[in-house]
Each structure stands twice: as C-alpha cells, then as structure tokens.
Amino acid sequence: MGKIIAIANQKGGVGKTTTAVNLAAALGVLEKKILLIDADPQANATSGLGVDLNSIKLGTYQLLDHSAKIEDTIIHTESPNLDLIPSHIDLVASEIELVDKVSREHMLKKALVGSTGLYDYILIDCAPSLGLITLNSLVAANAVIIPIQCEYFALEGLGKLLNTIKSVQKLHNKDLDIEGLLLTMYDTRLRLSNQVVEEVKKHFGKMVFKTIIQRNIRLSEAPSFGEDIITYDASSRGAKSYLSLGSEIIKRNN
C-alpha cells in the first residue's frame, strides 16, 4: 500500500510546490515509485515538470468529477520513477461543481481506490487555500507535510491550518497524521531565519523535520526549465536538501 501525503499550507509562497516537485523527484531517485497529483489550479507542479499545459486532455479535474479513470490521467515524466496527474486552470471550476455532490469531500479518495498499491508514495500538491479541493486532498491522504517559510509571518495562519486538519480528522479521516513541518527558505545570514527555526522547534519539537530547505538560486531557476532540481543541478544545495528530506521520510516510514 502506497502512502498518500498531502503537501498543504493555505499561505502562498511558502515553497509548497517546490517541495512537492522536488521531494517527488528525490524519492524517485531514491528508487521509490512516486505519483505526484497536482491539485492546484495554478498548475505550477505540472509546468515545473516540463508538461505543456495546452497539451493536457485529462487530469485532476476529470479525476475529481470521476469522468476519467485514474490510469487515463497519469503522465510519465522525464524524472526517474515519477508519474504525474497534471492540473489545468479548469480545476478552478471543481470548487463550485463539487458543492452539490453527495460526499463531496471524498471524491478524490474514491478516485484513488485501487491505485495506491502501484506506488510507494502518492504526493498531492494542494492549492494555497482551504477550499473543497484541498479538503478532498486531506480526506484522501494518510499524512500531511506543512511547509513553513523562515520569515516574519511564518506562524501566521498555521493555527487555522492545524484546526482544519483537526476537524478533518474528527469528521472525515481519523487516520490523517501530520508527517512533519518543513522549514523552507532558510537564509543562514539572517538572524530572523534562526529565530523562526528556534520558535518552530520549541513549539512543535519532533514534528519538525531535521532537514531544512535553504534559499537556493538553483531551486528558483529549475522550474523555468521544466525540470526538478535533481535533473537541473544534482550537485546544488537544493538537490542535496531534498534528497536528505526524501531519506528522512523513508526512514520515518520504515
């Protein structure tokens, strides 16, 4: 049985998609079979893996409304052991269309039935909101990774997200765990970055991943070439960070 991990934070710009794409690639390089589901209408994970958005016929939208089987939505990527279910701007419509559906929070979970055995990990890149699509991702997931940027407003909104996770656990998915909090955009030169790290570790202890993702220019460049960081520059600090995170997740789950 593959483990389903949602990568979620309703705040934008915290390194969520960067983490989804590069963690998926790192786990693939570490010889795990990975499926990445792009559940964000901005489709940055899709374009970040070099997929032409205009060429997409089937993807997360069709998966959520059950108009396509999961195997018809999967694209094989250039990254080793990494498959993708792409997103498209039409996914925006799902927020409205799901409202009237019976058990609307369970549409993604139902769509994934039978496919979890094909992968070691299924990662879901959530939209930066707490809408119905993100709720579907949390209901389908076994665990959630929460990226937190090492900046002034880091903990703002975290309480809201943790409350959402609690209510999902209570109402829809009692098995949902927090896989870990991931500190991102860390700048060794800034005192503030170090203060945020201390604060988060003080509050959340062992829930915080040992790996910290540092600010890295190569990480920012890679998506514009449609490549994950390991394909783009395997010797970069960003690549090493995500390989370290991948190893940490494998170790935690063994």
Side-chain angles (χ1 to χ4, degrees):
M1 275 286 284
K3 184 167 190 176
I4 305 172
I5 303 176
I7 297 163
N9 192 327
Q10 79 274 24
K11 273 173 76 87
V14 296
K16 192 168 42 55
T17 299
T18 301
T19 294
V21 168
N22 295 310
L23 174 58
L27 288 166
V29 167
L30 294 166
E31 298 185 344
K32 298 294 176 188
K33 191 96 177 67
I34 308 300
L35 175 64
L36 174 60
I37 301 172
D38 190 348
D40 183 351
Q42 294 174 75
N44 290 338
T46 302
S47 60
L49 282 169
V51 177
D52 175 11
L53 299 183
N54 296 318
S55 70
I56 295 163
K57 301 283 185 285
L58 300 170
T60 312
Y61 175 75
Q62 287 76 16
L63 197 64
L64 275 170
D65 74 2
H66 296 180
S67 63
K69 290 181 180 161
I70 185 165
E71 57 268 27
D72 298 327
T73 62
I74 292 171
I75 292 173
H76 303 297
T77 72
E78 300 288 318
S79 302
N81 301 316
L82 174 54
D83 289 347
L84 170 74
I85 296 178
S87 180
H88 191 271
I89 191 66
D90 61 7
L91 187 57
V92 170
S94 288
E95 287 285 353
I96 301 151
E97 290 166 11
L98 286 172
V99 169
D100 301 329
K101 297 267 172 85
V102 179
S103 64
R104 58 192 181 183
E105 302 90 355
H106 295 262
M107 301 301 273
L108 183 58
K109 186 173 185 170
K110 285 177 187 168
L112 294 177
V113 168
S115 62
T116 53
L118 303 173
Y119 295 95
D120 295 305
Y121 294 96
I122 296 174
L123 302 184
I124 308 173
D125 182 28
C126 298
S129 74
L130 293 176
L132 260 178
I133 301 172
T134 299
L135 184 56
N136 261 273
S137 303
L138 294 174
V139 171
N142 307 116
V144 57
I145 290 173
I146 304 170
I148 300 171
Q149 83 280 40
C150 297
E151 287 172 7
Y152 184 67
F153 292 114
L155 299 177
E156 193 186 65
L158 186 59
K160 196 176 175 188
L161 178 60
L162 293 173
N163 285 337
T164 300
I165 290 167
K166 266 187 199 152
S167 67
V168 169
Q169 286 166 329
K170 201 162 139 189
L171 300 169
H172 306 293
N173 182 2
K174 65 181 191 323
D175 300 322
L176 182 66
D177 288 325
I178 293 177
E179 185 75 16
L181 277 68
L182 176 68
L183 291 156
T184 64
M185 302 181 188
Y186 176 72
D187 189 334
T188 46
R189 298 164 302 179
L190 298 180
R191 196 164 129 229
L192 178 64
S193 277
N194 295 305
Q195 285 172 339
V196 172
V197 170
E198 279 170 33
E199 190 81 1
V200 172
K201 283 185 173 173
K202 190 174 83 183
H203 275 83
F204 298 102
K206 285 183 180 167
M207 283 167 67
V208 185
F209 285 110
K210 289 190 181 80
T211 304
I212 296 176
I213 310 298
Q214 297 191 18
R215 278 196 184 278
N216 178 238
I217 194 75
R218 307 299 272 171
L219 268 179
S220 312
E221 289 170 358
S224 62
F225 291 89
E227 292 178 345
D228 62 80
I229 188 60
I230 297 161
T231 308
Y232 181 63
D233 185 353
S235 65
S236 66
R237 187 185 284 159
K240 286 170 185 165
S241 294
Y242 279 106
L243 284 164
S244 163
L245 178 63
S247 301
E248 199 176 334
I249 286 170
I250 292 166
K251 203 170 165 188
R252 279 188 181 201
N253 286 289
N254 283 347

